[in-house]
Amino acid sequence: ETDFYQAPLNYRGRDNCEPRIGGGNVLVNIGGGSRNEILTWMDNREDWPANKELRGAGWTPLAQALGDAQDYFASIIPFDPSKECRANYVLLITDGEQDCPGDNELDPAPRAAGLRATLSLAGFTDIRTWVVGFGPNVQGADQLNRIARAGGTARNGQGQIDLLRGTALFATDPIALRDVLREVLADIQPDEVCDGLDNDCDGQIDEDFPQL
């Protein structure tokens, strides 16, 4: 019953190509939302309007969504008390390429690059964009590979970061998607660096270097 799901909260791709709405909605605030708040959007249960579900329908505004992500990060990171050690990133899971009426020529890749360059120049942590193509229609999609390269996460056949020839991550079924997400989680885990700072936000400084 899609008639229930109307503005102002639009979490279907068919709505988010509209210029007045934009490309993405913040459903749970980063750093301020709980795990349960996140899970209510993907727990396969719906009790309108208290417990909604994410649903894929219609258009795929990847460029617009990445642009909105950049604006959102730029508005919250300067006020984050843990900005020196918190790892911020974008995980883009999509079953399609850029697809919006009248603006399919928009290239999402520069938006991913913008997430890295704009905020890094402002002195904040590099924000990488992980790209996961989910489903048979996007396997090996060149556009998704270019987004991953621009976002700093493309990998080569040996699993190494390769921003020239590397590719995005791909999965054709839920089991493969689970395995891919495990890879991403392993890569985004912050590491403590010997620099006199608390790089992993655990309240300790250089704790992995007992020889100091």
Side-chain angles (χ1 to χ4, degrees):
E1 294 291 333
T2 55
D3 289 340
F4 287 111
Y5 308 105
Q6 303 294 332
L9 183 58
N10 303 287
Y11 49 97
R12 300 175 303 172
R14 72 174 66 171
D15 301 311
N16 288 31
C17 286
E18 296 292 334
R20 62 182 178 79
I21 296 175
N25 296 117
V26 177
L27 303 179
V28 180
N29 285 322
I30 294 176
S34 67
R35 180 180 179 183
N36 285 338
E37 285 182 272
I38 297 173
L39 291 178
T40 57
W41 288 96
M42 56 186 75
D43 59 5
N44 204 31
R45 293 186 305 221
E46 185 147 24
D47 177 19
W48 177 265
N51 183 2
K52 309 179 188 74
E53 282 294 287
L54 288 173
R55 57 189 65 241
W59 310 108
T60 309
L62 299 183
Q64 293 93 328
L66 288 171
D68 283 353
Q70 180 176 342
D71 292 342
Y72 178 68
F73 276 118
S75 70
I76 65 169
I77 289 180
F79 308 101
D80 180 4
S82 301
K83 61 177 176 289
E84 300 298 333
C85 60
R86 191 191 305 279
N88 294 289
Y89 61 93
V90 172
L91 174 57
L92 178 66
I93 304 176
T94 178
D95 65 351
E97 300 179 67
Q98 173 71 25
D99 184 23
C100 273
D103 61 7
N104 284 338
E105 298 305 313
L106 281 177
D107 187 355
R111 308 292 178 95
L115 274 160
R116 305 191 72 197
T118 302
L119 298 175
S120 294
L121 288 174
F124 304 128
T125 305
D126 180 15
I127 298 180
R128 296 178 296 165
T129 298
W130 293 95
V131 183
V132 179
F134 182 45
N137 294 330
V138 290
Q139 295 307 296
D142 181 63
Q143 184 182 89
L144 301 189
N145 292 334
R146 289 189 291 104
I147 298 173
R149 291 169 195 152
T153 62
R155 291 178 173 181
N156 59 27
Q158 289 71 48
Q160 303 166 325
I161 296 295
D162 183 347
L163 304 187
L164 293 177
R165 301 179 185 84
T167 68
L169 301 170
F170 297 96
T172 56
D173 57 68
I175 301 301
L177 178 61
R178 179 194 63 189
D179 294 340
V180 164
L181 293 179
R182 283 177 174 166
E183 293 180 33
V184 173
L185 290 174
D187 283 337
I188 64 174
Q189 182 69 28
D191 295 320
E192 189 69 13
V193 180
C194 184
D195 60 357
L197 301 173
D198 178 15
N199 308 106
D200 55 7
C201 281
D202 65 354
Q204 304 180 69
I205 295 176
D206 296 341
E207 70 275 10
D208 294 337
F209 303 91
Q211 69 274 20
L212 292 178

